[in-house]
Structures are given as structure tokens and as C-alpha cells.
Amino acid sequence: MIDAQLGVEAALKRFERYNPSDRILALDRLLVVLETLGNPHLDLPPTIHVAGTNGKGSTVAFIRAMAEAAGLTVHTATSPHLVRFNERIRLAGTLISNDYLVDCLERVEAALLGYRPITHFEAAQAASFLAFSETPADLLVLEVGLGGRFDASNVITQAACSVFCPIDLDHQQFLGNTITKIATDKAGILKPGCPAVSAIQGSEAEAALKAEAAKLGTVIDFVTAAEIAAIEPPLGLAGEHQFANAALAAKALKTSGLQGITDDAIRAGAASAHWPARMQRLSPGPVTALADDMPVWLDGGHNPHAGRALAGVLDTLDREEPAKRTMLVSAMLANKDAAGFFAALKRPGLRVFTCPITNNDNSFSPEALASAARDAGAEAEAHQGFEAAMKAAVRAGAERILICGSLYLAGKVLALNEELPA
């Protein structure tokens, strides 16, 4: 297994030589390669295309679970991965095998003819389209990687439904520094004549989505509060905010025209959905042992919107276990709004223990992240390693630990705790 995984990593690393020097977001490079491969992106199952800032992964998980509960076979394309690259490509319910993934990547590399430029993400997208086109399924749930209009997933020409999760500020260096610019870019996945649905949005994002839809002569159907209230507990994913994600998933499936999407299937899928590192309680393992086996939760949220969602989850946990004092162990990429994330948690007496993301030069230093937490009104200590931060939280009297701030950190934690996403 280790040797096979190394083969995947070696195949992926070879694409570094083809990386373009400019225009990270573009479609023309990928379209040329896909044409050489026989245009697999035009031979896909009915596709639900999911964009947005927050909740994409959870919404994809709900769509998949509900569709499978209806008896459908489902492909999914998600990013980033947490531990293994294979997590990005799920074929008819099962993660792509190492051998098949390497085969698809090698065919993509051959199509580059030794010189064609392509980004790492575009190459991975091309490989996934090969796999999706060659493996039978009833549905493909395709998650946008970054933005929408020029994201590599947007080479598809038709969608059973275009889906917009909540839109907020993120990736401003690529998408623009206002909600309007970001929402306008994400609206680029809309297709003429194809239905679209959206989560409840802020006024600025809603206006931008509607404006772009009007240009195409189409309409976006927005989730209502009543539709969220109609989602019945229990949910497979923790947090009150997940009811909104489940309602969006249900609306997308009902809008898509797929057969068998009954209320029973929606209920069953909502209850069985699983998505790692989204308020996931860790199983007993090396990480929980660091915390003296107290409850340890893991979430990859890293922006203010995610911070608000986490605050709601912690409020619920506090009501269920009022004696538990929560402390945070956190690391974060340096291009994120760290102060905004911590401020959004809005918890009196919040204590944060920061650490770096191992082998990642683009993360906040522990000192800088601790300073951002203090700016947001939290107590904070900087530590030079994850284990040191965990042990410090235990010494400080934590009764529950939430590890948060980065999907990169989340992946390392899952690997360390020997909980590989399957």
C-alpha cells in the first residue's frame, strides 16, 4: 500500500515541470489537453456542480448520501484532500484505486506532449474526468476548486443543477476583494437552460448571483427558511448550520430531475452523511491520547463564516455538556483572516494554543497567529509544534479540545490519529 501511494505521489510531482508561469485560473490549457484525451468531460453522468465559499464539502456529502439512499450510484470530485490524494476522486461510492489513478495521471501527462503548460489542479481534474467517463454511475457531484468561472471544473457544458453554497470573502487575491466580485466569479458556473439553486445568501451575494443569472435568461431558486426547518433530525454532520446545507442538497437533487429522490431518501441520506474534518469527533488514538482521552473535535474551518458556524456548534455542545471547558488548538495559512475567524467564535474566556502547519511555508507563524487571536479578544499561547500545543491545552485545564483553522492541519491530525478518510 505504501509503495502504491508513493507511485501516486511521484506521478503527481511530475506535473510540477508543466506549471504555467502566469494565469493560474484559466480554461484554455485544460481544454486543449482534454481534446487530446478524447474530451472525457463531455461524456459524464448527469452532473450537479457545486460552488461557494463555505459548506461545499458538507453539501456534496449530503447530496451523495441522499442520492445513494435513493439507490443511485454516485461519483464525487472534491478538494483539497486531507491525507491521500485519492480522496478527491470517488467512483461509484469508492475512492479511486492507486493503480487506476496513476494510469489516468500518466495518460494526462502523455497528452501534454512534453511541453504543454498545465497547473497541478488542472491535471488532476483531467485525470478525474477520464475516470468519471470510464466508470458507470447515475450521478456526478462536481465541486468547484476555486471561484467558478475559470475553475478547471467549469469545462463542463451542461449541468443537471448548478449549486451555490454560502458566499463570503476568501481567496481575494484570485477572485477580488468584495463579495460582489467573488459572487460574480462563482456565478460563472451557470449554464444557459440549466437549473440552479442557492443557499440563503447575504444581500450583496444574492444580488450578484441574480444579475449574472439574468444575463443568461435563467433563474436561481434560493433555499427558504421553511425548507431548512423541514429537514428532520438527526443529521450525520454536527452543527445547526448543517440543516441549511442539507436543505440545499435536497433542493439540488429535487431540481436535478433525477429519479427516486423521495422524502424518505432525503431523510435517510441526511442522517447518514459523513464528511471528515467537519466537526468530527476523533476516535481513540494517538491524538486523543495527547489530550488524556478527553473529547477532541476536529474542523477545517478557516474564515469568519466558518468561525460563526463553529460558535453555534460549541454552544450546542455546551448545552449538552455544560461542564466542558473548550480550548482551541489552531494553525492557519497566512492568507486567511485569522483575527476575523477567532472574533467570529465570540466566546468569553476563549483560549487558543497555536502551532505551525508542518512542512508548509505558507502558514502563520505560531507567534503571529497567537497575536491575531489576542487581537480578537482571546487569550493565546504560541507553541512550536502540534503536540506541544495539545499538551499545553491539557495543562491549562481544557475539558474539550477543538482543533481548527486549516484543512492542512486537519489532514495531518487525521493521519497522526490513524483515521484515514475512506
Side-chain angles (χ1 to χ4, degrees):
M1 175 64 74
I2 293 176
D3 288 343
Q5 197 63 45
L6 290 174
V8 171
E9 293 171 4
L12 288 165
K13 187 170 180 58
R14 288 199 297 272
F15 286 101
E16 293 177 4
R17 73 184 74 172
Y18 301 104
N19 199 48
S21 59
D22 60 356
R23 290 193 312 129
I24 297 302
L25 294 177
L27 297 180
D28 53 332
R29 295 184 299 258
L30 179 55
L31 286 168
V32 170
V33 173
L34 288 170
E35 184 173 10
T36 302
L37 292 168
N39 290 317
H41 64 299
L42 302 181
D43 188 24
L44 301 173
T47 299
I48 295 179
H49 201 186
V50 182
T53 305
N54 292 287
K56 293 195 301 293
S58 297
T59 301
V60 169
F62 279 123
I63 293 172
R64 175 192 160 209
M66 291 171 181
E68 289 179 340
L72 304 180
T73 54
V74 184
H75 297 330
T76 59
T78 57
S79 65
H81 61 281
L82 294 171
V83 182
R84 297 168 295 165
F85 189 89
N86 310 55
E87 298 163 31
R88 298 182 181 219
I89 304 172
R90 187 176 293 273
L91 301 176
T94 303
L95 297 186
I96 190 171
S97 69
N98 288 321
D99 289 343
Y100 190 26
L101 177 54
V102 169
D103 173 68
C104 290
L105 289 168
E106 287 178 344
R107 282 188 277 164
V108 172
E109 186 177 12
L112 298 178
L113 304 177
Y115 66 87
R116 286 176 176 163
I118 198 169
T119 68
H120 186 278
F121 186 81
E122 290 164 354
Q125 193 73 79
S128 74
F129 284 141
L130 280 174
F132 294 142
S133 68
E134 294 171 352
T135 307
D138 300 309
L139 171 66
L140 165 62
V141 189
L142 180 62
E143 181 187 336
V144 169
L146 177 62
R149 190 174 307 278
F150 296 108
D151 181 75
S153 68
N154 204 32
V155 292
I156 64 170
T157 58
Q158 295 290 317
C161 188
S162 300
V163 181
F164 298 97
C165 297
I167 295 171
D168 206 341
L169 292 172
D170 205 7
H171 299 296
Q172 291 97 311
Q173 69 273 36
F174 296 110
L175 306 179
N177 56 6
T178 68
I179 296 292
T180 295
K181 290 180 179 178
I182 292 171
T184 298
D185 187 275
K186 293 180 187 295
I189 71 166
L190 290 167
K191 303 289 185 288
C194 298
V197 300
S198 173
I200 295 173
Q201 302 284 357
S203 57
E204 195 175 347
E206 180 176 340
L209 291 176
K210 286 181 174 178
E212 292 303 300
K215 293 177 183 177
L216 297 176
T218 190
V219 174
I220 301 174
D221 191 2
F222 287 79
V223 167
T224 65
E227 287 171 322
I228 296 172
I231 297 295
E232 299 178 15
L235 296 186
L237 302 179
E240 289 296 315
H241 63 290
Q242 294 294 0
F243 284 88
N245 291 331
L248 179 61
K251 193 176 190 74
L253 282 166
K254 289 179 176 179
T255 302
S256 70
L258 291 163
Q259 299 300 306
I261 307 301
T262 63
D263 289 342
D264 285 345
I266 287 170
R267 250 188 317 271
S272 65
H274 173 71
W275 192 237
R278 275 67 174 183
M279 276 313 290
Q280 174 183 353
R281 182 165 176 172
L282 295 182
S283 301
V287 172
T288 56
L290 290 171
D292 291 345
D293 296 318
M294 74 176 68
V296 179
W297 294 78
L298 178 67
D299 193 274
H302 50 256
N303 58 33
H305 187 281
R308 292 190 291 273
L310 285 176
V313 177
L314 291 176
D315 287 343
T316 299
L317 289 176
D318 286 345
R319 288 193 294 271
E320 295 172 352
E321 300 176 320
K324 299 293 186 186
R325 185 182 182 195
T326 303
M327 296 186 187
L328 272 53
V329 170
S330 186
M332 192 175 293
L333 293 181
N335 62 352
K336 304 302 180 184
D337 180 6
F341 172 77
F342 292 121
L345 284 166
K346 295 181 181 176
R347 303 188 65 74
L350 181 66
R351 295 196 66 176
V352 182
F353 300 83
T354 65
C355 61
I357 302 174
T358 308
N359 300 323
N360 191 313
D361 295 334
N362 295 320
S363 67
F364 275 106
S365 70
E367 294 77 14
L369 189 59
S371 177
R374 292 187 200 104
D375 289 345
E379 295 182 51
E381 294 180 14
H383 296 271
Q384 299 310 308
F386 171 72
E387 293 187 11
M390 289 288 290
K391 291 177 180 177
V394 173
R395 289 195 302 271
E399 297 170 295
R400 180 195 299 126
I401 293 177
L402 170 60
I403 303 167
C404 60
S406 168
L407 287 170
Y408 293 95
L409 173 64
K412 295 179 185 301
V413 168
L414 288 173
L416 180 60
N417 206 47
E418 301 170 1
E419 288 192 68
L420 299 184

